[in-house]
Each structure stands twice: as C-alpha cells, then as structure tokens.
Amino acid sequence: MSPLIEVEVPLDDRSYRVIVGDGAAESLPQLVPERAKRAAIVTQAGIGLAVDPGVEHRIFEIGDGETAKAMSTIEDLCRRFAQWGLTRNDVIIGVGGGLVTDVAGFAAAVYHRGVDVIHVSTTLLGQIDASVGGKTGVNLPEGKNLVGAYWQPAGVICDTSVLSSLPPREYKSGLGEMAKYHFLGGSDLEGLPIAERVARCVQIKADVVGSDEREGGRRAILNYGHTLGHAIEIAGQFDVRHGEAVAIGLVYAAEVARRLGRVDAARVQEHRHVVGSYDLSHRLPDGSDHDELLSLFTRDKKALDGVTFVLDGPNGVEPVTGIDEDILRDALRAVS
Ligand code: GLY
C-alpha cells in the first residue's frame, strides 16, 4: 500500500490536516480532539464505510437525496445529539459524500454554538471539494445551499480505497471537478496516480482557502466552470451530474475567454483535451435552450454584479464582471 499523504489547510490556529490515500480511514483516531469523549457519526444507510474513531460513538443516519439536505434534518440531528448527551467537547464525524459532510458540518456549526467536526469523505467529488474548506449548509425550498455557515473541520480523511466501489457515473462526476484543478495550478495532474491526484487537488484547494477563507475574492476561482455548470443543473430536464455539467462549463468558460481576447485557441483546445481525457463531454445536452441558460446565469447566487464569470486569462483564472450577452450567446453555440 502506498504511504498516506498529508495536506495542511493553513488557517493559523484553525489549521487542519487532510489525510489522503488507500486506508486513510484507519488514521481517524489521530484527528479526534483529545478532549472528545464521544463521537456522533453522521452518515447514510448506503455508505458502507465503517469507521472507528477510537472513542465511544453512535451512528446517526440521515436520508438520501437533496430532500435530506434540509433544516428539518439539522433539527432532527441536533435533537438526537442532545438526547444522547453529546457535549460541546465531543466531536461530530461526517462519513459520506458532499451531502453528508455539508449537513454534518452545519449541524456541528450550530449544535451548542459549535462543536468539532471531522469529515470522512467517501466520494471523489467530496474528497476534492466539499469536505475541504469549511463551507457547510442546507437547501431551502427557495434554492440550494441558501442557509449555512463557514465551519472548518478539525481534520479530513480522504480514503481513496473507497473510490473503486463508486458507481461509474458518481466517479465520473468527480472527474469533472478534478478537470477544473488542471487550470488552477494543477497542470502537473495528468499522469499522477489517483491518490496523489486527489492530494494535489486538495493542496490546490487548501492554498486557495488559506488565502481567502470566506470568498472575499480569490476563493471564487474554485467556481471555475460552475456558472454554466449550475445553469445546466438548474435547467433540470437533463440527466447531467454536477461534475459532468462543470466539465461543459470549463470548455464554455474557455470559449468566453477566447472571445474576450484573454486566451488563445490553443488554450481552448487544452480545455477540450483535459475534459476529453476524463472521458467527459464538452457539449451541451441536446435540446438545451440558450435563452434559459442565459437567464439562469444572472440568477446564480454568485452573480453579485451583473453576469460574473470566472475566466482564464493572462493572470490565470479570475472573476470577470460585466460580460456582453452577445459573447455569452456566441460561446454557447461553440459548445452546442
Ligand atoms: N466548492 C467551492 C468552495 O469550496 O469554495
């Protein structure tokens, strides 16, 4: 078995370790704070990863699907924690994909006004994105992720041995998010074994989060490819997973950047190559309505100042505001 890789998320006295590799889950007791006497393990029925935190623990299952990512789940969990007697010195451990770690993290942020949380991430998407960086939250009927908190974990486990048992579509969705990192400083990703690749993506995210924890600026680059990606997901009538939508969004963002003179045709081709190397499509689903997608760009909750896109350019990937609708429309044709 390859040695485990440790990445630090640098946040001064709230810095934490992310332990990556096959069998990393066995390192969980190392991350449990010394003062914790009990661990509440938040997970779902189908996750199938049994963890041993090395202290007294109890399993708290939540439901599947986006409907479980709700305020009612947070209330339910907190009530069950209280009935068990979980104290502010104890620890909550989220074991699952992004939905579980978002919910467990938010419950940890609010229970007793904040208790330690550790994430044991079991999907590729979760390992390279949701579990690291402290964004937690739930949906409202009015929209996704509308209620939440920044609550950094005490540590994160990315056990890559679980990735081989993921459903193929779930794994492929993670690859779309991985493709993003190629353009955020990860040009060395190609050719790395999977555990090193995950660790490299985590390292890139850790550096960004360490420099801009609350998305005052630079952290927005982590949304590269996501404006069109979210629009495709929200349009909703397509069978497209998050990472698959992001992959299309990456190539689209490159097409927009080329029309603004920020990158050349070779760089657009590089985007197509990376996305293709993960066997992901860079074409909009058949039947996409360009007017609908354009109107969804302005509804993206990150559109604070007209249509904001995260675009590649001479200074690297950065947010760009006020993009002309004709350019956005023309670039949509290039990914159709
Ligand atoms: N998923 C983007 C971020 O954590 O900022």
Side-chain angles (χ1 to χ4, degrees), residues 151-321:
W151 190 249
Q152 297 294 342
V156 179
I157 299 275
C158 299
D159 190 329
T160 45
S161 66
V162 302
L163 300 179
S164 53
S165 53
L166 286 179
R169 281 289 295 282
E170 175 62 49
Y171 187 71
K172 207 166 164 188
S173 180
L175 293 177
E177 200 73 46
M178 187 172 267
K180 171 188 84 176
Y181 287 101
H182 284 251
F183 306 101
L184 303 181
S187 53
D188 54 337
L189 275 166
E190 223 165 339
L192 290 181
I194 188 65
E196 286 175 41
R197 231 179 242 228
V198 168
R200 182 80 185 97
C201 294
V202 169
Q203 180 71 65
I204 293 169
K205 180 158 186 180
D207 290 346
V208 173
V209 169
S211 67
D212 177 23
E213 183 185 2
R214 290 182 174 239
E215 204 165 312
R218 184 166 177 244
R219 185 163 178 167
I221 70 171
L222 296 172
N223 299 320
Y224 191 40
H226 283 59
T227 304
L228 177 62
H230 284 152
I232 295 169
E233 286 181 277
I234 295 166
Q237 68 270 41
F238 308 111
D239 177 24
V240 179
R241 298 285 180 94
H242 176 73
E244 293 169 335
V246 168
I248 304 164
L250 291 171
V251 175
Y252 176 68
E255 291 283 3
V256 172
R258 188 176 69 77
R259 282 159 179 74
L260 291 169
R262 295 176 57 88
V263 300
D264 60 15
R267 185 68 167 161
V268 179
Q269 194 45 39
E270 205 178 321
H271 281 68
R272 289 184 197 276
H273 166 76
V274 168
V275 164
S277 72
Y278 288 117
D279 200 22
L280 288 155
S281 172
H282 48 74
R283 297 236 169 264
L284 288 171
D286 288 342
S288 294
D289 177 341
H290 292 194
D291 288 328
E292 182 185 20
L293 294 173
L294 285 166
S295 72
L296 286 167
F297 292 166
T298 52
R299 271 184 38 199
D300 190 311
K301 73 179 186 317
K302 296 187 176 78
L304 300 176
D305 181 17
V307 180
T308 301
F309 264 84
V310 180
L311 295 179
D312 200 4
N315 305 319
V317 171
E318 61 187 355
V320 177
T321 50

Side-chain angles (χ1 to χ4, degrees), residues 129-147:
D129 189 26
S131 63
V132 176
K135 281 189 181 176
T136 74
V138 295
N139 304 329
L140 293 179
E142 287 73 15
K144 286 178 73 168
N145 295 324
L146 289 186
V147 180

